């Protein structure tokens, strides 16, 4: 059997030193817990088969709470297997902010939303962007810089990224 | 033009950091594109999207204006830098903005918007860490992607410690990064306007792609209420789907990353909540997102470049930096020497000529030797050496009349303009070689005398530290004419093209080539033929090169029509036939020569594949070789043939992996560039003198590579065909 997009996502994230875990809607809360570090804030997981309601994550934080937080949990619109990327949607709920102004970003994506490659990703972007004006960030691993003389993980954005892939609920 | 002492200084102060970083990027590029299964197809796709977009640019800009306005933003087309800056200043003034935070944008460097805003009393803060270091140091970028590439970690630490006097002096890259993040984070939070560039903008949706890794561009947009994006008009492409090949290629081609941390696909004004971090009451979902957005597209010479058949390709450039990193000269001197007002590296000649004018391009254009290694590296396949050649040709036109009285009689070129005396000397090397052979050995003795070399250095700028080629009295054509060989039932029939160097200088390699081909059953003739025009072309003398090309085609055509293949020993000449002749000859003549021309080892390989016996060639019995291919030969992907044939003949081959030997035709002979040339060569010397290689026989395919290796090493060198003879 050939590798699924999720297999490829898991293996690419492995090479990027990004912890990735597959879980189910039922086991989600338990699975998320070890990925939270310090004060955790988040954006409700619209469109994902999981919820932050019964977790330790402060959903829809104030700006001050975001600034004080260490971990930010957001949904990802989809993920790109080949590249180990997650797509953070721009949303009025502030996914972009919560994934950026923290030291650890935890991205949650549905397994059915893992596309194999960049071509599939841009087919999806094209359709969505023409249907409704919107923005998204293809985020791959932590923020990084080589401008200070050697590679440093954690520049202006997070120094760590974790990804949780939620398998579809049993039929 | 940088003087030798300026080049020496820049190599001494910045060379080590530039060299380490660019070579690292270049190695990363090879690794990263090697992981793509469809690299060439992606490049072709990227190229065709750019060709189409530039062709349809006015229409795409109209469409973009409609989409940007429908999205709630404003599109402004600025004619030039002043126009752009005036618009940006008015937007900033309307917001009563005190601080503008910027992410990295070469286009904003081009228009010098920081200086324009500073005059209005606006605090402009660069938030990309490399740009910020340069802003603190008051220096300019030395590389289009990694602007502070010329600075070492120690020099950055020294700068930051001195300027900010932190409680604990900063030393490591992590400490410096953390300090900068905190310092800049506060400035970003309080800023009024966020300014970004844009790598690509799609006409269908008004979406701009920003290729970044630090997260500062995202923060600069998210933390401010007004977003200004500045970009060249050439950044517009038709649709969102068109972004895909560029997203896959840009990081790989530049810094060797499969993808950068963030590809922001922003369709401004973005709806991310506007944030005030002191607010501890309002949840994010209840915040407004009322942003202004201004897209400033800058012409500044670009539409004129679009109308210029020779400079148009420059507009396909996606500013990835591959041409800088893959350039052997850039690796030594960096963008402060190999660059103009804003842009650096090989493609900068096109940008600077189009934006600033020929004078600016003339400052650094001769650092491009035409080695062509950037052509393979460029994700949109721009013929960067050709752009450099064209600009050199136009610059020659500006030196009207300088030396005409001296050289018109000696130099039979076709130039209506007046290249410098040095350029005409090298450009007319064929005439010199003919005289040289006719008068050899007297001509060699005469030119080797101290007074002669001093005069050559003074008048022609030929460095006296270089050994000059020794002309041979009996040329290859003379030798072949006297031979009486007949091949019974020949396997193939061929013309061995007597290139300038094989004919007059490296005659032995030509004789070896003839004998090797004959031993494989090929009937070979060596007719007199004009030189290829490589020499004048490298001096920007296009009219003369075209005249050579036409005469070569005329000379070889009857042989080709008679059923002969054309075999070429000198790699820079087969590269002429394959690449540059397409621009110099009409399509029919070009096709005839290009499709019937073979590099000598490519030809031998073809013979062996088609039934000739390798046993008829001399074998090496495991002899150990160190082989340096030739830059243009590698661009044409011809190196593998040499390796394959040598291995079949039982030689044990190790190859160099430097991009160029540094000699590059006449470049290394010029006093101005002797030291750069030797610095480039030092990598090759290191590779061929380490324990693994120091006892290996040195072979190289190119004339200038052999000359350079003779100067670099203390052991003899030869063309690999001589080993099979």
């Amino acid at each position: 059997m050939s590798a699924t997009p999720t297999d490829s996502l898991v293996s690419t994230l492995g090479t990027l030193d990004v912890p990735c875990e597959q879980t189910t809607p039922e086991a989600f809360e338990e699975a998320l817990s070890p990925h939270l570090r310090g004060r955790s804030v988040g954006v409700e997981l619209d469109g994902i088969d999981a919820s932050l309601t019964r977790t330790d994550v402060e959903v829809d934080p104030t700006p001050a709470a975001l600034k004080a937080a260490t971990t930010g949990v957001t949904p990802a619109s989809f993920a790109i297997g080949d590249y180990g990327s997650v797509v953070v949607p721009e949303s009025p709920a502030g996914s972009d902010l919560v994934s950026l102004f923290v030291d650890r970003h935890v991205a949650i994506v549905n397994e059915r939303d893992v596309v194999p490659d960049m071509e599939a990703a841009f087919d999806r972007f094209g359709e969505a962007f023409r249907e409704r004006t919107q923005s998204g960030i293809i985020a791959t691993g932590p923020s990084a810089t080589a401008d200070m003389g050697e590679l440093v993980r954690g520049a202006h954005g997070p120094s760590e990224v974790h990804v949780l892939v939620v398998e579809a609920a049993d039929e | 033009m940088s003087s030798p002492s300026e080049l020496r200084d820049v190599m001494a102060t910045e060379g080590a950091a530039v060299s380490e970083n660019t070579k690292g990027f270049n190695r990363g590029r090879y690794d990263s594109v090697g992981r793509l299964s469809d690299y060439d197809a992606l490049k072709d796709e990227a190229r065709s999207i750019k060709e189409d977009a530039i062709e349809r640019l006015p229409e795409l800009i109209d469409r973009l204006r409609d989409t940007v306005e429908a999205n709630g933003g404003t599109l402004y087309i600025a004619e030039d830098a002043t126009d752009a800056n005036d618009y940006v200043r008015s937007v900033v003034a309307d917001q009563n903005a005190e601080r503008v935070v910027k992410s990295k944008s070469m286009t904003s460097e081009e228009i010098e918007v920081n200086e324009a805003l500073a005059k209005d009393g606006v605090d402009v803060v660069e938030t990309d860490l490399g740009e910020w270091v340069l802003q603190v140091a008051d220096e300019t970028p030395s590389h289009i992607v990694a602007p502070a590439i010329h600075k070492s970690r120690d020099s950055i630490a020294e700068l930051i410690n001195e300027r900010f006097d932190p409680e604990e002096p900063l030393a490591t890259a992590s400490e410096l990064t953390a300090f900068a993040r905190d310092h800049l984070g506060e400035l970003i939070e309080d800023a009024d306007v966020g300014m970004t560039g844009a790598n690509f903008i799609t006409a269908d949706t008004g979406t701009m792609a920003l290729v970044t890794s630090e997260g500062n561009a995202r923060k600069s947009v998210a933390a401010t209420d007004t977003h200004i994006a500045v970009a060249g008009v050439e950044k517009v492409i038709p649709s969102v789907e068109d972004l895909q090949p560029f997203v896959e290629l840009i990081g790989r081609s530049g810094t060797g990353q499969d993808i950068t941390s963030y590809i922001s696909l922003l369709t401004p004004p973005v709806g991310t909540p506007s944030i005030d971090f002191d607010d501890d009451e309002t949840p994010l979902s209840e915040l407004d997102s009322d942003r202004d957005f201004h897209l400033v597209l800058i012409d500044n010479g670009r539409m004129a470049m679009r109308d210029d058949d020779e400079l148009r390709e420059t507009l396909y450039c996606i500013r990835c930096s591959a041409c800088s990193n893959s350039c052997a000269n850039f690796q030594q001197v960096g963008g402060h020497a190999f660059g103009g007002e804003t842009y650096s590296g090989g493609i900068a000649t096109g940008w600077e000529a189009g934006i600033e004018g020929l004078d600016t391009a003339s400052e650094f254009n001769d650092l491009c030797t035409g080695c062509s290694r950037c052509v393979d590296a460029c994700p949109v396949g721009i013929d960067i050496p050709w752009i450099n050649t064209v600009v050199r040709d136009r610059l020659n036109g500006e030196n009207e009349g300088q030396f005409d009285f001296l050289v018109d009689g000696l130099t039979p070129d076709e130039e209506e303009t007046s290249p410098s005396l040095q350029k005409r000397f090298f450009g007319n090397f064929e005439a010199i070689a003919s005289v040289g052979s006719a008068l050899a050995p007297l001509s060699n003795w005469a030119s080797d005398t101290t007074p002669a070399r001093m005069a050559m250095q003074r008048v022609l700028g030929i460095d006296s530290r270089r050994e000059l080629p020794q002309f041979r009295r009996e040329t290859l054509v003379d030798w072949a004419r006297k031979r009486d060989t007949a091949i019974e039932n020949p396997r193939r029939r061929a013309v061995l093209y007597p290139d300038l160097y094989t004919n007059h200088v490296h005659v032995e390699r030509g004789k070896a080539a003839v004998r090797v081909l004959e031993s494989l059953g090929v009937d070979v003739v060596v007719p007199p033929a004009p030189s290829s025009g490589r020499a004048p072309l490298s001096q920007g003398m296009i009219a003369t090169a075209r005249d050579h090309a036409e005469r070569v085609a005329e000379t070889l055509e009857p042989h080709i029509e008679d059923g002969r293949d054309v075999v070429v020993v000198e790699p820079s000449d087969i590269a002429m036939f394959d690449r540059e002749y397409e621009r110099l000859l009409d399509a029919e003549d070009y096709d005839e020569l290009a499709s019937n021309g073979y590099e000598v080892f490519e030809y031998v390989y073809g013979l062996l594949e088609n039934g000739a016996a390798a046993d008829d060639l001399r074998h090496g019995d495991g002899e150990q070789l160190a082989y340096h291919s030739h830059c243009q030969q590698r661009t044409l992907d011809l190196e593998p043939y040499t390796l394959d044939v040598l291995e079949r003949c039982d030689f044990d081959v190790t190859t160099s992996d430097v991009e160029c030997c540094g000699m590059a035709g006449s470049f290394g002979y010029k006093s101005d560039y002797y030291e750069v040339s030797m610095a480039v060569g030092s990598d090759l010397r290191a590779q061929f003198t380490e324990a693994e290689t120091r006892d290996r026989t040195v072979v190289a395919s190119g004339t200038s590579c052999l000359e350079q290796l003779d100067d670099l090493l203390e052991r003899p060198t030869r063309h690999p065909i001589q080993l099979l003879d």
Side-chain angles (χ1 to χ4, degrees):
Chain A
M1 202 179 85
S2 63
T4 66
T6 303
D7 293 340
S8 132
L9 179 74
V10 171
S11 100
T12 311
L13 287 173
T15 66
L16 297 171
D17 285 331
V18 171
C20 176
E21 192 175 331
Q22 288 170 264
T23 181
T24 60
E26 298 75 33
F28 175 72
E29 286 86 1
E30 204 180 324
L32 178 65
S33 167
H35 296 281
L36 304 177
R37 175 163 65 85
R39 187 170 175 180
S40 300
V41 297
V43 174
E44 193 45 85
L45 305 176
D46 292 335
I48 307 275
D49 297 336
S51 165
L52 294 176
T53 318
R54 291 194 309 275
T55 66
D56 293 336
V57 178
E58 237 176 291
V59 175
D60 200 11
T62 65
L66 170 59
K67 190 170 182 179
T70 306
T71 301
V73 183
T74 75
S77 319
F78 62 98
I80 306 164
D82 271 3
Y83 280 86
S85 311
V86 294
V87 175
V88 179
E90 165 217 72
S91 71
S95 284
D96 184 21
L97 300 171
V98 170
S99 70
L100 181 63
F101 286 88
V102 289
D103 193 52
R104 175 185 289 186
H105 173 215
V106 181
I108 317 293
V109 65
N110 284 326
E111 182 171 22
R112 64 172 176 275
D113 291 323
V114 182
V115 303
D117 53 26
M118 210 45 95
E119 198 173 338
F122 273 90
D123 285 345
R124 197 163 160 155
F125 280 128
E127 212 170 292
F129 279 42
R130 276 188 296 273
E131 188 181 293
R132 177 177 67 80
T133 299
Q134 57 183 296
S135 302
I137 313 290
I138 305 173
T140 312
S143 76
T145 185
D147 284 344
M148 294 299 182
E150 61 195 59
L151 183 68
V152 177
R153 285 160 74 101
H156 287 277
S159 69
E160 290 180 283
V161 173
H162 292 217
V163 176
L164 264 69
V165 181
V166 183
E167 293 166 12
D170 290 336
E171 297 284 315
Chain B
M1 192 181 78
S2 299
S3 69
S5 69
E6 284 165 340
L7 288 171
R8 195 179 308 134
D9 286 349
V10 83
M11 284 195 288
T13 53
E14 302 181 351
V18 165
S19 184
E20 186 189 336
N21 290 319
T22 49
K23 287 175 192 167
F25 290 159
N26 199 38
R27 277 193 300 274
R29 172 176 62 83
Y30 282 113
D31 292 345
S32 182
V33 303
R35 287 190 286 271
L36 279 173
S37 57
D38 51 355
Y39 176 49
D40 289 329
L42 275 177
K43 288 206 298 189
D44 290 345
E45 196 185 345
R47 166 86 187 191
S48 72
I49 290 168
K50 274 291 185 183
E51 281 181 2
D52 170 60
I54 297 301
E55 171 75 27
R56 293 197 286 135
L57 191 54
E59 170 203 329
L60 292 179
I61 291 173
D62 286 344
R63 174 124 192 253
L64 178 64
R65 182 188 297 281
D66 292 342
T67 45
V68 168
E69 286 173 1
N71 293 342
T74 308
L75 171 64
Y76 184 77
I77 307 280
E79 259 179 58
D80 55 24
T82 310
D83 189 12
N85 287 335
D86 287 349
Y87 183 81
V88 171
R89 288 168 58 203
S90 72
V91 172
V92 171
D94 286 348
Q95 301 296 323
N96 293 315
E98 292 173 9
R99 183 181 304 134
V100 174
V101 283
K102 279 182 66 198
S103 66
K104 193 179 121 43
S105 149
M106 287 308 291
T107 310
S108 75
E109 300 270 355
E110 173 189 325
I111 61 174
E112 300 182 343
V113 69
N114 294 17
E115 289 76 1
L117 288 169
K119 278 188 194 147
D120 294 343
V122 178
D123 180 24
V124 184
V125 179
E126 295 286 355
T127 62
D128 172 86
L129 299 189
E131 288 285 353
W132 176 69
V133 165
L134 296 185
Q135 192 176 32
V136 173
D138 194 22
E139 291 178 24
T140 58
S142 61
H143 186 273
I144 60 173
V145 169
I149 197 174
H150 59 287
K151 297 190 87 69
S152 65
R153 192 192 64 202
D154 288 346
S155 70
I156 296 169
E158 195 181 327
L159 172 77
I160 301 302
N161 287 329
E162 190 183 301
R163 179 64 59 88
F164 294 96
D165 197 20
E167 282 177 25
E168 287 288 317
L170 307 167
T172 66
S174 298
E175 289 166 1
L176 289 162
T177 301
F179 176 84
R181 173 183 47 232
D182 293 347
H183 173 78
L184 291 168
E186 285 174 25
L187 297 175
I188 293 171
E189 284 171 23
D190 291 342
D192 307 292
V193 174
M195 192 184 298
T196 67
N199 293 84
F200 308 94
I201 309 165
T202 68
D204 61 344
T205 59
T207 302
M208 45 187 262
L210 279 174
V211 179
T212 70
S213 274
E214 293 182 358
N216 60 309
R218 293 175 64 192
K219 281 189 170 175
S220 297
V221 173
T224 54
D225 294 333
T226 302
H227 176 191
I228 303 174
V230 294
V233 288
E234 82 283 5
K235 299 293 178 68
V236 185
I237 57 174
S239 72
V240 173
E241 284 86 342
D242 291 330
L243 290 166
Q244 178 238 329
F246 299 107
V247 165
E248 298 207 57
L249 288 169
I250 194 166
R252 296 177 192 270
S253 301
T255 51
Q257 294 164 277
D258 293 357
I259 192 166
T260 60
S261 302
Y262 304 121
I263 307 286
S264 295
L265 302 173
L266 304 180
T267 312
V270 296
T272 297
S274 299
I275 197 163
D276 168 5
F277 284 101
D278 294 331
D279 182 347
D280 60 1
E281 287 178 5
T282 325
L284 295 180
S285 64
E286 289 170 27
L287 294 170
D288 289 337
S289 65
D290 189 17
R291 264 192 196 77
D292 280 342
F293 172 63
H294 300 266
L295 174 58
V296 185
L297 287 186
I298 292 158
D299 179 345
N300 213 22
R302 288 168 173 78
M303 293 312 257
M305 290 164 78
R306 181 172 168 272
D307 291 334
D308 184 326
D309 285 342
E310 310 288 5
L311 291 187
R312 184 180 308 122
E313 256 195 305
T314 308
L315 299 174
Y316 306 160
C317 168
I318 61 170
R319 313 255 175 99
C320 71
S321 79
C323 60
S324 296
N325 306 329
S326 61
C327 173
N329 283 349
F330 191 97
Q331 289 174 356
Q332 297 302 325
V333 303
H336 285 155
F338 198 158
E341 293 286 327
T342 312
Y343 301 100
S344 53
I347 194 61
T349 293
W351 284 120
E352 295 284 342
I355 289 168
E356 305 286 342
L358 287 176
D359 285 353
T360 308
S362 76
E363 297 288 321
F364 61 93
N365 162 255
D366 279 348
L367 281 163
C368 170
T369 65
C371 85
S372 78
R373 295 304 299 139
C374 54
V375 177
D376 278 353
C378 177
V380 287
I382 300 175
D383 193 345
I384 295 165
W386 181 257
I387 291 173
N388 278 277
T389 302
V390 165
V391 168
R392 201 166 295 148
D393 187 62
R394 292 180 186 180
L395 282 163
N396 287 341
E398 297 204 325
N399 301 328
E400 209 65 56
Q402 233 179 328
F403 292 108
D404 288 3
F405 67 98
L406 258 177
V407 287
D408 271 354
L410 281 173
T411 53
D413 58 49
E414 295 295 313
E415 299 303 298
E416 289 178 7
T417 60
S418 296
S420 69
L421 188 57
Q422 182 193 58
K423 286 193 159 70
R424 291 186 85 169
F425 174 81
F426 285 117
N428 288 290
F429 196 69
E430 181 177 20
I432 289 146
S434 300
V435 176
S437 277
L439 300 180
L442 191 65
S443 51
N444 296 324
W445 298 335
S447 63
D448 276 350
T449 61
T450 308
R453 292 308 305 268
M454 285 174 66
M456 288 173 96
Q457 172 142 342
R458 200 173 57 247
V459 180
L460 297 171
I462 296 172
D463 201 281
S464 59
R465 288 165 285 190
R466 285 285 184 197
E467 290 204 19
L468 295 177
Q470 299 286 307
F471 298 114
R472 300 290 295 272
R473 179 93 189 184
E474 185 184 58
T475 65
L476 182 67
V477 171
D478 295 340
W479 171 81
R481 190 183 290 131
K482 288 182 203 154
R483 295 181 82 224
D484 184 20
T485 49
I487 304 293
E488 299 282 328
N489 303 318
R491 181 182 294 280
R492 306 279 302 184
R493 297 164 65 243
V495 182
L496 186 93
Y497 172 65
D499 66 81
L500 187 52
Y501 309 97
T502 306
N503 195 34
H504 291 277
V505 183
H506 293 278
V507 179
E508 291 309 320
R509 71 180 190 183
K511 294 179 186 174
V514 170
R515 288 190 292 254
V516 164
L517 295 180
E518 286 176 348
S519 68
L520 295 174
V522 180
D523 176 79
V524 186
V525 293
V526 189
S531 67
S532 70
R534 168 65 70 193
L537 193 78
S538 72
Q539 309 305 315
M541 295 159 65
I542 295 176
T544 307
R546 178 168 288 122
D547 175 64
H548 281 251
E550 285 166 354
R551 287 187 289 117
V552 168
E554 209 172 289
T555 308
L556 296 179
E557 204 172 50
H559 294 283
I560 294 170
E561 277 161 15
D562 185 35
R564 288 189 186 269
D565 308 311
V566 177
V567 179
V568 183
V569 178
E570 173 55 36
S572 62
D573 281 349
I574 190 70
M576 273 300 269
F577 292 2
D578 266 14
R579 279 176 35 80
E580 283 85 1
Y581 274 19
E582 189 171 10
R583 299 177 185 274
L584 299 174
L585 294 176
D586 62 46
E588 202 181 319
D589 287 346
Y590 163 71
D591 284 342
E592 187 167 47
L593 207 46
S595 55
N596 290 290
Y598 302 88
E599 190 267 340
V600 62
F601 269 89
E602 179 189 19
Y603 196 67
V604 170
Y605 171 89
L607 293 167
L608 297 181
E609 283 290 289
N610 287 285
D615 286 348
D616 291 332
L617 300 173
R618 184 184 160 264
H619 275 49
D621 295 330
E623 183 179 356
Q624 296 197 315
L625 307 178
Y627 174 59
H628 172 68
S629 181
H630 177 277
C631 44
Q632 289 159 339
Q633 184 187 12
R634 289 176 62 201
T635 296
L636 295 174
D637 213 10
L638 293 172
E639 179 181 9
Y641 298 115
T642 306
L643 297 178
D644 182 275
V645 171
L646 289 173
E647 277 159 17
R648 285 191 206 206
C649 293
D650 200 18
F651 289 92
D652 175 80
V653 194
T654 295
T655 59
S656 68
D657 65 1
V658 297
E659 295 292 0
C660 179
C661 70
M663 183 63 107
S666 61
F667 181 80
Y669 284 102
K670 296 180 177 175
S671 301
D672 287 337
Y673 300 118
Y674 172 79
E675 283 165 53
V676 176
S677 167
M678 291 304 277
V680 171
S682 66
D683 288 343
L684 181 54
R685 173 169 43 213
Q687 289 189 4
F688 281 1
T689 51
E690 60 192 18
E692 283 289 288
T693 52
R694 80 166 64 106
D695 297 323
R696 287 174 173 261
T697 302
V698 179
V699 283
S701 298
T703 298
S704 46
C705 316
L706 289 164
E707 309 272 353
Q708 175 81 322
L709 283 162
D710 284 341
D711 281 1
L712 293 169
L713 302 174
E714 285 163 6
R715 55 200 211 265
T717 63
R718 74 199 79 163
H719 189 283
I721 200 72
Q722 292 170 260
L723 299 175
L724 305 183
D725 175 25

